[in-house]
Amino acid sequence: MARGLSRQAARAQRRAKPRRECTLAFDCLAACGLRDGIERFGQFCIDLQLAAAMHGDVERGLFFRGTGSLPFGAQIRPVRDLLSYLLTGAAPAAV
């Protein structure tokens, strides 16, 4: 039985396609539109958009929210402020 499993594993290895490396070496998603060339997933790097949001870049950052009330009212705040608020409960200074 072990020999049969070994042959199956060897066949699977021969058929397996090597995974493409992330263009930015992050490999943050299992299936990435940019790295894997999947057009319907979008052609942008989620990590770069989230990093821009974390730094408060409203033009390039990716911002999202749920249906609940916002902790900062109508303000768009950096992800850093939100995480600090969620972890400590301390609201950041007004902008």
Side-chain angles (χ1 to χ4, degrees), residues 19-75:
R19 182 175 172 186
R20 291 175 54 189
E21 291 295 317
C22 177
T23 57
L24 300 171
F26 294 137
D27 277 331
C28 58
L29 299 173
C32 171
L34 187 62
R35 178 195 64 217
D36 301 333
I38 305 170
E39 198 170 308
R40 65 187 171 93
F41 281 19
Q43 299 296 301
F44 68 96
C45 179
I46 188 80
D47 193 66
L48 291 178
Q49 310 318 120
L50 292 173
M54 186 176 86
H55 289 94
D57 186 343
V58 179
E59 296 297 318
R60 295 181 348 147
L62 176 64
F63 298 87
F64 53 92
R65 64 172 293 248
T67 59
S69 63
L70 295 171
F72 309 121
Q75 297 177 5

